Amino acid sequence: MQGYTHSGPVDCNKPFDVGNIKGKTAIVTGGANGIGEAYVRALVAAGARVCIGDLDVERGSKLAQELHGTKFISCDITQWNDQVHLFREAVTFSQSGNISYVVANAGVFRQDEVFSYSGDNQEPEEPSLALIDVNIKGALYTAKLAAHYFIRQNGQQISPKQEDTCLVLIGSGAAFLDCPRAPQYCASKWAMRGIMHSLRRTASFYGSRVNIISPWYVKTNILSDDVFAHVSKVGVEFAQAEDAGQCLLRILSDVSINGHSLFVSGRKWAPNIGYMDLDLEDYPANALIQEIQEDQMKSAPVSLGLFV
Ligand SMILES: NC(=O)c1ccc[n+]([C@@H]2O[C@H](COP(=O)([O-])OP(=O)(O)OC[C@H]3O[C@@H](n4cnc5c(N)ncnc54)[C@H](O)[C@@H]3O)[C@@H](O)[C@H]2O)c1
């Protein structure tokens, strides 16, 4: 496994071979519906075994019944013990006892009480930050457990014996674009990039990688029918959940992909495949940022007290 070096954008038009995914075990949180379901279907088609962790017991159980090689575990990702249970069940479900891939997909969108105005004659009300609990706290629990199992399987010394593992975090257009009226959702999706930037230089010590998939608008249950109708009406083209599934398979198939975020853009911007690497995560043309980053690495080198 190679450490992090900026090597330019991933060529998403290059053919890829899913052979190395066959027989591996993956966890997909929020895999019962929407884009998560598309990740599950893509993984199953590539021959992986998949543990689906989701709040939606009805849909999750139905999907697991339909798809051979999947198991549904009822899980609220905001609850640490639920996620511990999910990972334990995945180990039992895995033929090798290993977990290879973790997709931290579960996420919600809510009307943002941080943004809303309480009124001229009103005291401001304490906003609900429940979205942060799901989208950041839940994803951090998933990241912690993924690293735990990856380290347990691979140790902490880079060696050719380590089997590839990968954590995939889910961003959004809201992870890099201006999206008015949604400070919590945007904060939560930018946060995925923060987690990725913090982990991408140390993941190789335990034979791992960390990447982000950021979908553009995909018609799912995350937003209301009215919102999606408006998006259609103003002529904005949707991205497709199936393209997100293929994007995931590309990331998992190519062990050289570490520290990237791929944008599931829809076919308008990425004909034929529907996703692309916007090369958002580095600033190769900015010599000053490179110099500051070098000083940052001097002050906090990757090899210093890796897990303390
Ligand atoms: N659909 C879009 O337009 C879009 C765009 C960008 C990013 N995303 C991101 O993609 C991911 C999936 O979104 P989607 O559009 O498929 O949404 P969705 O609402 O269709 O599916 C989300 C799934 O997550 C599950 N879930 C929600 N809270 C949970 C919790 N606390 N614990 C466990 N499971 C929980 C739901 O039950 C559901 O199965 C999210 O992280 C979302 O932010 C979606």
Side-chain angles (χ1 to χ4, degrees):
M1 206 58 48
Q2 63 190 60
Y4 181 72
T5 44
H6 178 247
S7 48
V10 174
D11 178 359
C12 295
N13 286 299
K14 215 171 61 179
F16 63 96
D17 176 0
V18 296
N20 64 325
I21 296 174
K22 195 168 181 207
K24 301 276 177 65
T25 295
I27 290 174
V28 180
T29 67
N33 292 283
I35 313 175
E37 179 180 336
Y39 298 136
V40 172
R41 288 185 183 278
L43 283 162
V44 168
R49 290 168 76 75
V50 187
C51 251
I52 305 161
D54 204 295
L55 277 178
D56 188 341
V57 176
E58 198 184 323
R59 284 278 309 151
S61 308
K62 214 166 151 197
L63 189 62
Q65 267 171 18
E66 180 201 327
L67 296 175
H68 181 69
T70 63
K71 183 172 186 177
F72 174 71
I73 309 294
S74 171
C75 170
D76 177 348
I77 61 157
T78 66
Q79 302 302 309
W80 171 249
N81 288 338
D82 277 16
Q83 291 218 46
V84 168
H85 177 65
L86 169 65
F87 277 74
R88 281 199 191 127
E89 288 289 325
V91 168
T92 314
F93 185 59
S94 166
Q95 281 162 333
S96 65
N98 286 348
I99 298 167
S100 298
Y101 311 124
V102 175
V103 186
N105 163 76
V108 292
F109 182 90
R110 301 217 169 108
Q111 196 157 9
D112 203 314
E113 292 183 12
V114 170
F115 180 78
S116 65
Y117 178 56
S118 303
D120 286 350
N121 302 317
Q122 304 291 323
E123 283 297 313
E125 283 171 20
E126 181 180 345
S128 164
L129 300 182
L131 180 149
I132 298 295
D133 274 354
V134 181
N135 290 10
I136 302 185
K137 187 174 104 173
L140 283 169
Y141 284 171
T142 310
K144 160 97 187 161
L145 285 161
H148 175 84
Y149 280 91
F150 295 163
I151 292 165
R152 203 168 86 167
Q153 291 159 202
N154 273 336
Q156 295 182 35
Q157 300 296 327
I158 296 171
S159 109
K161 288 191 190 140
Q162 290 172 324
E163 263 192 25
D164 177 48
T165 59
C166 187
L167 168 67
V168 178
L169 299 159
I170 305 302
S172 166
F176 59 92
L177 300 168
D178 291 5
C179 301
R181 298 184 301 280
Q184 285 191 64
Y185 188 73
C186 291
S188 74
K189 292 304 174 181
W190 278 79
M192 297 307 105
R193 295 176 62 202
I195 297 168
M196 185 277 279
H197 274 268
S198 178
L199 296 179
R200 69 180 176 178
R201 289 170 198 261
T202 50
S204 60
F205 283 85
Y206 50 95
S208 197
R209 308 181 277 127
V210 55
N211 293 287
I212 296 183
I213 296 175
S214 279
W216 180 239
Y217 289 103
V218 177
K219 267 187 209 154
T220 65
N221 295 326
I222 198 164
L223 296 172
S224 67
D225 290 347
D226 287 350
V227 172
F228 282 129
H230 174 75
V231 172
S232 282
K233 198 173 136 203
V234 295
V236 169
E237 190 178 308
F238 287 93
Q240 302 303 320
E242 293 71 24
D243 291 343
Q246 289 306 305
C247 178
L248 174 68
L249 295 187
R250 174 178 293 281
I251 289 171
L252 301 184
S253 300
D254 183 346
V255 298
S256 73
I257 302 179
N258 179 37
H260 285 261
S261 61
L262 300 192
F263 178 43
V264 181
S265 60
R267 303 290 173 112
K268 172 182 173 182
W269 291 306
N272 306 322
I273 52 172
Y275 61 91
M276 60 172 76
D277 186 351
L278 291 170
D279 206 13
L280 290 172
E281 307 301 345
D282 292 276
Y283 312 92
N286 189 321
L288 179 58
I289 295 186
Q290 297 305 324
E291 189 186 323
I292 296 167
Q293 177 68 57
E294 276 171 31
D295 273 19
Q296 172 62 30
M297 297 316 294
K298 281 186 214 155
S299 57
V302 289
S303 55
L304 187 74
L306 198 51
F307 292 105
V308 290

